[in-house]
């Protein structure tokens, strides 16, 4: 079975500051890793994914994440956030061979001017 | 290309009733998955359908069921509603199934309130 831990339930940050949202996972098999964003009253939108290859993954809206196998982490980063980045961010994993996504509890990013 | 559509967007039911939610995947997508989102339990996988067959099922009681039609549209049904079934139900579609790496595209969800 897989599990995902997002330690920070809420991250406040000022506009144009850098941000890192943390994600750790646990699995006995190989997994694929994803970050999704959810804006109020909307569904989930994929930010980026790690399938294989380079451990640094670049996504949409200037976000990037680094896969660290030894630390079983997949932290999300953005060098300079905007007010519009205010949303809930979910880290998720899926095991090879299965379509099921296992999500973390989410991190609410609050960007203030 | 149109995205994933879910109907209705909002629904209010009373305990004991049953409800059917509908999901139309992106054209050409054959896999549809359903997720329940609540403040307490977060996002949880309900089930996945591919080619009209249930491929995978989450840890939910038998009151939760689903089906998929030949055009890949999917419905999920919850019978004998309980207060705890109040949630946002999200549908996600992907091109195919089984890989785990297939990107899932989410719909806006159906907000179910059980009174």
């Amino acid at each position: 079975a897989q599990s995902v831990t997002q330690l920070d339930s809420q991250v406040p940050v000022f506009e144009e500051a850098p941000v890192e949202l943390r994600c750790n996972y646990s699995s006995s098999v190989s997994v694929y890793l994803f970050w999704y964003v959810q804006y109020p009253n909307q569904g989930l939108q994929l930010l980026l994914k790690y399938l294989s290859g380079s451990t640094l993954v670049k996504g949409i809206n200037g976000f990037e994440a680094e896969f660290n196998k030894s630390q079983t982490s997949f932290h999300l980063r953005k060098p300079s956030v905007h007010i519009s980045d205010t949303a809930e961010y979910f880290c998720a994993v899926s095991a090879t061979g299965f379509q099921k996504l296992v999500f973390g509890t989410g991190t609410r990013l609050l960007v203030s001017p | 290309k149109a995205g994933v559509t879910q109907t209705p967007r909002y629904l209010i039911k009373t305990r004991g009733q049953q409800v059917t939610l509908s999901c139309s995947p992106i054209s050409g997508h054959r896999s549809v998955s359903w997720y329940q989102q609540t403040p307490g339990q977060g996002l949880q996988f309900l089930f996945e359908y591919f080619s009209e067959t249930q491929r995978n099922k989450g840890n939910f009681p038998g009151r939760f069921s689903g089906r998929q039609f030949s055009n890949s549209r999917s419905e999920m049904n919850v019978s004998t509603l309980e207060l705890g079934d109040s949630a946002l139900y999200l549908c996600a579609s992907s091109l195919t199934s089984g890989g785990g790496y297939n990107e899932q595209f989410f719909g806006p969800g159906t907000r179910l309130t059980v009174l």
Side-chain angles (χ1 to χ4, degrees):
Chain A
Q2 296 77 48
S3 67
V4 177
T5 302
Q6 293 181 249
L7 288 172
D8 305 306
S9 60
Q10 191 165 289
V11 173
V13 64
F14 289 109
E15 194 174 18
E16 298 182 10
V19 71
E20 177 180 84
L21 306 183
R22 296 180 293 169
C23 171
N24 287 88
Y25 70 94
S26 173
S27 177
S28 56
V29 298
S30 296
V31 294
Y32 302 110
L33 297 151
F34 306 82
W35 273 100
Y36 283 87
V37 61
Q38 186 177 35
Y39 299 101
N41 299 315
Q42 293 187 28
L44 302 172
Q45 180 183 10
L46 181 68
L47 279 176
L48 47 77
K49 60 186 175 185
Y50 174 78
L51 303 181
S52 65
S54 172
T55 57
L56 183 63
V57 180
K58 293 193 183 297
I60 62 171
N61 301 340
F63 285 94
E64 63 180 33
E66 186 153 20
F67 169 59
N68 187 318
K69 189 173 183 178
S70 62
Q71 297 188 7
T72 60
S73 67
F74 190 53
H75 301 331
L76 181 70
R77 302 185 184 100
K78 186 169 183 178
S80 176
V81 295
H82 303 290
I83 297 285
S84 59
D85 292 324
T86 294
E88 185 124 26
Y89 292 79
F90 293 93
C91 181
V93 301
S94 66
T96 53
F98 294 91
Q99 196 69 355
K100 168 186 172 182
L101 285 168
V102 175
F103 287 91
T105 51
T107 297
R108 188 173 300 276
L109 177 63
L110 297 169
V111 182
S112 53
Chain B
K1 194 181 261 192
V4 177
T5 57
Q6 292 187 246
T7 56
R9 288 294 310 278
Y10 301 91
L11 207 48
I12 299 175
K13 293 285 187 179
T14 56
R15 278 181 299 173
Q17 287 186 310
Q18 76 163 12
V19 67
T20 299
L21 312 182
S22 181
C23 171
S24 292
I26 291 171
S27 177
H29 285 195
R30 296 171 59 198
S31 169
V32 173
S33 298
W34 289 88
Y35 294 84
Q36 181 197 62
Q37 185 176 23
T38 60
Q41 300 298 317
L43 279 153
Q44 293 186 287
F45 173 80
L46 281 156
F47 29 63
E48 183 215 355
Y49 285 87
F50 177 75
S51 292
E52 302 178 64
T53 302
Q54 187 180 88
R55 293 292 299 268
N56 203 356
K57 190 178 190 303
N59 189 25
F60 279 82
R63 299 185 297 107
F64 291 82
S65 63
R67 59 177 176 169
Q68 187 180 34
F69 302 94
S70 58
N71 61 358
S72 295
R73 190 177 70 85
S74 176
E75 289 181 347
M76 69 163 281
N77 184 276
V78 188
S79 62
T80 320
L81 285 166
E82 300 177 0
L83 294 179
D85 297 333
S86 294
L88 181 67
Y89 290 89
L90 292 164
C91 165
S93 76
S94 61
L95 272 171
T96 184
S97 174
Y101 50 80
N102 297 299
E103 180 176 350
Q104 295 190 38
F105 295 82
F106 284 80
T110 294
R111 173 77 62 186
L112 172 64
T113 302
V114 182
L115 302 176

